[in-house]
Amino acid sequence: MQRTIFTEEHQMFRDSVRHFVEKEIVPYYDQWEKDGIVSRDLWLKAGQQGFLGFNVPEEYGGAGVDDYCYSAIFAEETTRVGAVSAGSGIGLHNDIVIPYILAYANEEQKRRWLPGMCRGELITAIAMTEPNTGSDLAAVRTTAERRGDEYILNGQKTFITNGILSDVVIVVAKTDPTLGHKGISLLIVERGMEGFKRGRNLEKVGMKAQDTAELSFEDARVPVSNLLGEEGKGFYYLMRQLARERLNVAVGATAACEAALDMTLEYCKERTAFGQKIGSFQNSRFKLAEMKTEIEIGRVFVDRCIEELNAGTLTPEVAAMAKWWTTDLQKRVVDQCVQLYGGYGYMLEYPIARAYLDARVQSIYAGTNEIMKEIIGRSMGV
Ligand SMILES: Cc1cc2nc3c(=O)[nH]c(=O)nc-3n(C[C@H](O)[C@H](O)[C@H](O)COP(=O)(O)OP(=O)(O)OC[C@H]3O[C@@H](n4cnc5c(N)ncnc54)[C@H](O)[C@@H]3O)c2cc1C
């Protein structure tokens, strides 16, 4: 089916992203996967090309275009070539962290951080999850105690995307532990602050080029001027922004399904068994047809969500639907594609094998798929 959300301008943008990905990501990606991290150069080059902070107003160094289609295109093009873990760090920066700064930072903070974020000089992260709590965000134990014009931050975070590279981290902490979720605030911790330490770059099943790390705060001193928004409003801010994060995952999942199906279709047209192309077995044809159908259905829903996000009407429950359904689909699709590749599907030199490993996390992060169903269920009054 024809996609209707893109204009000619979007198409031109897609061409430039495709060129960038081929030139600046594909040749280095194997090495980054071995290193467990992308180079800082990638960020600087992405900044130079205008691929960071699309929605940041020009006065703060961005493109000033509040249109999620640009983010979706960037995610689709990195996923198309299997460079998911390079794209996802940038996606988190553009679509998760920067929107918090735009929505809740004061003028001085915007001027301090946004230009560097748009140039790729300031890489960002958001630290919610802790060793003892992920889904239950209100149970975070990191504390920020105010002393004069500083907060004294203590606690540990884990599984933090861009954890090693990040220069600016939004940290979820309790400024008043007696108030439960109403005592949560967001603090900006910067590279080099006293008491801020990074732990290991964690070894993962997939997403190998993505640095995912532990962070710790031992009497870290954070100036009060680094509080984001109002004290005690952190949980409310998080709930408001999470729909966009979930749509991001759904966009990546749908693009990953399309990429997996494309490469598998080609393979099925070439590989022979019992004197015929493997795609011509009825089972293969049916599997391919089923996948094509489900992916098309998912694509229409996700594109509609993109329109709703742009219109400001995307609800948390609809974003949750997109997230759980497309990521479950992605896991099914890549698994079936691996099956159609036979033994080669299990070899890491084949992109489908890497797509299989990269897919697994999709139903876990950005809120697990079980939590997505909780959100949808609660919205139905049950
Ligand atoms: C690669 C990667 C990158 C990540 N990046 C970040 C990041 O940048 N920043 C960040 O803050 N976090 C990040 N995370 C953390 C991620 O968001 C959490 O892992 C996720 O929210 C789940 O939390 P948890 O691991 O503590 O699992 P738990 O909350 O312990 O859940 C364990 C299981 O119990 C289920 N469960 C929990 N509560 C319920 C319930 N109420 N009903 C039904 N089932 C339930 C879950 O669905 C899950 O299956 C990342 C994780 C990974 C793997």
Side-chain angles (χ1 to χ4, degrees):
M1 287 169 80
Q2 198 71 31
R3 296 180 73 183
T4 54
I5 60 171
F6 297 124
T7 61
E8 218 168 284
E9 214 164 297
H10 290 130
Q11 193 49 50
M12 278 158 54
F13 177 77
R14 186 182 292 280
D15 292 342
S16 69
V17 177
R18 192 166 286 192
H19 180 71
F20 178 80
V21 168
E22 294 293 346
K23 185 161 168 263
E24 305 294 354
I25 295 184
V26 173
Y28 309 104
Y29 196 67
D30 282 355
Q31 188 57 47
W32 293 341
E33 284 206 321
K34 288 192 188 104
D35 297 343
I37 194 163
V38 303
S39 76
R40 281 191 87 89
D41 251 17
L42 169 67
W43 286 82
L44 296 174
K45 287 174 185 163
Q48 280 157 14
Q49 294 292 314
F51 297 149
L52 302 178
F54 307 119
N55 53 351
V56 172
E58 286 176 34
E59 53 180 312
Y60 305 114
V65 192
D66 194 8
D67 175 358
Y68 182 80
C69 287
Y70 290 99
S71 296
I73 290 169
F74 194 85
E76 287 172 12
E77 289 303 314
T78 47
T79 305
R80 195 182 61 82
V81 298
V84 184
S85 47
S88 67
I90 291 178
L92 177 123
H93 177 82
N94 276 341
D95 294 303
I96 299 171
V97 178
I98 287 180
Y100 279 95
I101 307 291
L102 288 173
Y104 308 118
N106 59 36
E107 187 57 26
E108 181 276 322
Q109 292 172 329
K110 285 182 185 168
R111 294 203 179 279
R112 192 151 37 117
W113 293 314
L114 285 172
M117 290 177 182
C118 294
R119 287 194 298 267
E121 290 162 7
L122 290 182
I123 298 173
T124 63
I126 179 159
M128 300 176 265
T129 307
E130 301 184 353
N132 289 311
T133 192
S135 304
D136 185 6
L137 209 49
V140 291
R141 292 186 194 167
T142 299
T143 54
E145 188 191 328
R146 185 158 177 175
R147 281 194 215 148
D149 55 4
E150 284 179 335
Y151 286 102
I152 307 299
L153 191 62
N154 278 291
Q156 282 182 307
K157 299 287 178 183
T158 193
F159 309 147
I160 306 307
T161 300
N162 296 337
I164 300 292
L165 284 171
S166 52
D167 306 290
V168 170
V169 184
I170 300 179
V171 177
V172 177
K174 288 220 167 111
T175 38
D176 188 343
T178 63
L179 290 179
H181 73 273
K182 290 191 177 149
I184 289 180
S185 303
L186 305 184
L187 293 182
I188 303 276
V189 176
E190 296 175 75
R191 178 180 287 281
M193 279 183 171
E194 196 185 319
F196 169 31
K197 298 200 178 99
R198 287 164 216 263
R200 292 176 298 148
N201 188 3
L202 300 164
E203 211 172 317
K204 303 186 294 299
V205 169
M207 305 286 279
K208 296 282 190 189
Q210 170 66 75
D211 55 312
T212 308
E214 297 168 327
L215 307 179
S216 68
F217 311 98
E218 291 168 22
D219 287 332
R221 297 159 66 134
V222 184
V224 168
S225 57
N226 278 24
L227 174 70
L228 195 57
E230 287 176 45
E231 207 177 269
K233 289 263 178 78
F235 195 79
Y236 164 77
Y237 296 155
L238 290 165
M239 293 306 116
R240 282 186 63 116
Q241 294 294 328
L242 284 173
R244 189 182 182 109
E245 177 174 4
R246 284 156 190 168
L247 177 59
N248 254 11
V249 177
V251 165
T254 310
C257 287
E258 289 166 346
L261 181 61
D262 283 352
M263 66 178 101
T264 306
L265 185 58
E266 285 310 306
Y267 187 79
C268 288
K269 286 178 180 170
E270 282 163 19
R271 176 86 174 166
T272 56
F274 298 96
Q276 63 184 90
K277 303 286 182 207
I278 58 165
S280 67
F281 295 121
Q282 191 190 49
N283 176 66
S284 313
R285 257 206 321 272
F286 280 14
K287 288 283 179 239
L288 291 165
E290 285 165 13
M291 290 192 279
K292 178 85 180 154
T293 308
E294 285 191 280
I295 296 168
E296 285 278 338
I297 291 168
R299 160 60 65 216
V300 172
F301 188 78
V302 169
D303 278 0
R304 184 76 195 94
C305 287
I306 293 174
E307 286 177 330
E308 293 242 345
L309 185 85
N310 273 344
T313 53
L314 183 68
T315 61
E317 52 274 17
V318 171
M321 290 174 200
K323 199 265 174 181
W324 86 256
W325 196 84
T326 57
T327 55
D328 270 11
L329 176 66
Q330 181 186 358
K331 290 196 295 182
R332 278 203 314 280
V333 163
V334 291
D335 187 61
Q336 282 170 9
C337 288
V338 165
Q339 190 69 18
L340 285 166
Y341 267 81
Y344 291 103
Y346 201 61
M347 298 299 134
L348 279 176
E349 62 202 83
Y350 278 73
I352 194 65
R354 282 142 100 170
Y356 179 77
L357 297 180
D358 288 342
R360 188 60 190 88
V361 74
Q362 293 273 76
S363 59
I364 297 173
Y365 61 12
T368 66
N369 283 10
E370 292 74 29
I371 296 296
M372 296 305 104
K373 291 173 194 174
E374 279 293 324
I375 293 170
I376 300 160
R378 267 185 260 131
S379 76
M380 297 163 72
V382 288

